[in-house]
Amino acid sequence: PIDLYPQLAIMGRLNEFGGRKGYLGRYCEGGRGASNLKELNYYLNKRGFFRREKTEVAKDLPEKQRQTILCDITTRREYNKAKNDFVNFLKDKGCDDKEIARKLRGEIMVKMGELKRISAKGKMKEVVEFAKEVQDSGEKLILFCTLHSIVDELKKEFPNAVTVTGRDSVEQKQKNIDAFQNDINTKLIICNIRAAGVGITLTASSRVAFVEYPWTYADCVQCEDRAHRIGQKNNVMCTYFLGNKTIDEDLYKMIQDKRHTANTITGATDKMEMNFVDSVVNLFS
C-alpha cells in the first residue's frame, strides 16, 4: 500500500483516504505493512482508479502456468559457510535493533546477494539438464538470470545460445532477439533480468525458466510476459529453480506474499495453476 501513497498525493486524493496519518495507519500498519486491503481496493475503485486486465485486452491469449523445481545445490559447503558468516554478522551487529538494521541495510543486501550467488552456482547442474531436455524435445527456451558469471557459465554449456544482457550492444541485442524469434536452430536465449525483463517479444518460445529471480513479483511477471503476449499460440510454462534449504525458498515465498497483497489491492486476478515439484510448498510452512 505504501507504493500507492505518492500517486494518491499527486492526484490530490489523499485526503479522501484519511490524509497522510490516516492512510499510513489504516492501510500500511503505520509504515510499510499491509492492512484492510479489500477496503482500500473498494475506495480506490470508487475514487479514481481504473484498470483493464490483460485477460480483457488479449482475450485469445493462452494460459500461463508456474512450477518450481527444488534443487540439491552442489555448493552446499560453501553456502553453509556463507550463511553462518551472515548469521554471525547479524548477531555481532545487533541487527534485531531496527535502527541498526536500517543503517546496515546496504551491507546486509550485499551478503544476501552472496547467498543468492552461491545458490545459483549450485543449481547449474539441474538447470543445464533441464535446458537440454527442453531443447531435445524440439522446444525453444528462455532462461533468466541476474549475474554475468551465471550467463558465462551457461554460455560455456550452450555455445550456440544467444544472449540479451547489459554487455550486449543495442544492435547485438536486436540481432539475437531476431535470431531466437526466426531461426529454428536458435533454441536458447539467455537473458539478464534487467536487460530483457521489459519491452521485448520472445513469443517463439512458450517455456520460461528462472535460474535467479528479482526481488519483486511485478518484475517476475514482466519477465514471464516476454513469452506470454500477443502472438503466443501455446500455453506458457514458467519454471523457477529453488535451491533446497537456501535463501531461494524464502525469497520465492516473499514474492508470492507480495503477489497476494498486490492482487488484493488492485482487485486483479491471478488464477494461474501453481505446480510445486518435490512438494516444495510444504517447506514454506
Side-chain angles (χ1 to χ4, degrees):
I2 193 67
D3 293 338
L4 285 174
Y5 179 87
Q7 287 94 313
L8 291 170
I10 291 167
M11 291 166 64
R13 298 275 183 167
L14 205 52
N15 287 337
E16 298 176 43
F17 292 82
R20 183 180 187 278
K21 188 175 179 181
Y23 183 85
L24 295 179
R26 182 73 180 159
Y27 305 114
C28 306
E29 297 178 330
R32 301 196 67 83
S35 53
N36 302 303
L37 300 184
K38 289 188 177 179
E39 177 188 301
L40 177 57
N41 170 252
Y42 172 77
Y43 285 126
L44 282 170
N45 280 284
K46 188 177 180 181
R47 297 169 178 168
F49 179 82
F50 299 89
R51 180 180 182 89
R52 289 181 76 202
E53 290 198 59
K54 192 183 208 176
T55 52
E56 297 173 295
V57 180
K59 293 185 170 146
D60 297 328
L61 206 58
E63 291 184 0
K64 180 167 67 168
Q65 295 175 303
R66 296 189 185 105
Q67 69 172 357
T68 60
I69 295 180
L70 193 62
C71 306
D72 288 322
I73 61 171
T74 58
T75 51
R76 177 61 61 191
R77 184 177 295 179
E78 184 184 358
Y79 184 88
N80 286 346
K81 182 181 183 303
K83 180 183 176 183
N84 289 335
D85 290 345
F86 183 43
V87 170
N88 290 331
F89 166 82
L90 295 177
K91 286 180 180 176
D92 292 343
K93 299 293 184 181
C95 281
D96 54 340
D97 184 301
K98 286 187 179 178
E99 183 63 20
I100 295 173
R102 185 180 65 79
K103 289 179 179 176
L104 293 169
R105 187 173 184 272
E107 199 168 346
I108 289 171
M109 291 293 285
V110 169
K111 291 184 180 295
M112 288 176 70
E114 178 64 5
L115 291 177
K116 286 178 66 181
R117 182 193 70 78
I118 297 169
S119 177
K121 184 180 170 186
K123 292 183 283 186
M124 289 303 296
K125 183 174 180 291
E126 293 203 37
V127 171
V128 168
E129 287 177 2
F130 174 85
K132 286 179 179 176
E133 286 175 7
V134 171
Q135 292 175 81
D136 289 345
S137 72
E139 293 187 82
K140 294 192 176 195
L141 175 65
I142 307 163
L143 268 181
F144 276 102
C145 49
T146 301
L147 299 170
H148 288 309
S149 59
I150 299 298
V151 174
D152 293 340
E153 199 163 333
L154 287 167
K155 276 291 286 181
K156 285 180 187 175
E157 293 286 344
F158 303 102
N160 293 326
V162 293
T163 61
V164 177
T165 73
R167 295 184 296 189
D168 299 319
S169 67
V170 174
E171 294 77 14
Q172 188 61 50
K173 285 178 188 173
Q174 192 57 54
K175 182 180 177 183
N176 291 346
I177 292 166
D178 291 341
F180 185 75
Q181 286 287 91
N182 304 314
D183 184 355
I184 59 171
N185 295 315
T186 304
K187 292 188 174 180
L188 178 64
I189 187 165
I190 303 164
C191 297
N192 174 274
I193 288 166
R194 284 192 177 181
V198 295
I200 67 172
T201 297
L202 299 172
T203 49
S205 171
S206 60
R207 302 294 297 270
V208 183
F210 292 81
V211 186
E212 305 168 89
Y213 19 94
W215 293 98
T216 67
Y217 167 68
D219 288 339
C220 289
V221 173
Q222 284 292 334
C223 291
E224 294 171 355
D225 287 355
R226 297 314 93 216
H228 192 246
R229 55 196 294 134
I230 293 171
Q232 180 57 256
K233 296 179 174 59
N234 303 311
N235 289 353
V236 174
M237 175 60 79
C238 307
T239 303
Y240 288 77
F241 287 90
L242 308 180
N244 184 23
K245 296 179 181 177
T246 71
I247 193 174
D248 291 350
E249 296 179 76
D250 298 318
L251 177 56
Y252 191 78
K253 182 180 183 302
M254 182 181 75
I255 289 169
Q256 296 312 312
D257 289 343
K258 287 185 177 181
R259 172 176 71 97
H260 174 71
T261 300
N263 287 346
T264 304
I265 293 171
T266 60
T269 54
D270 186 356
K271 297 180 180 177
M272 258 170 275
E273 178 184 340
M274 297 295 291
N275 176 22
F276 287 87
V277 178
D278 292 338
S279 302
V280 69
V281 69
N282 295 329
L283 297 171
F284 291 159
S285 61

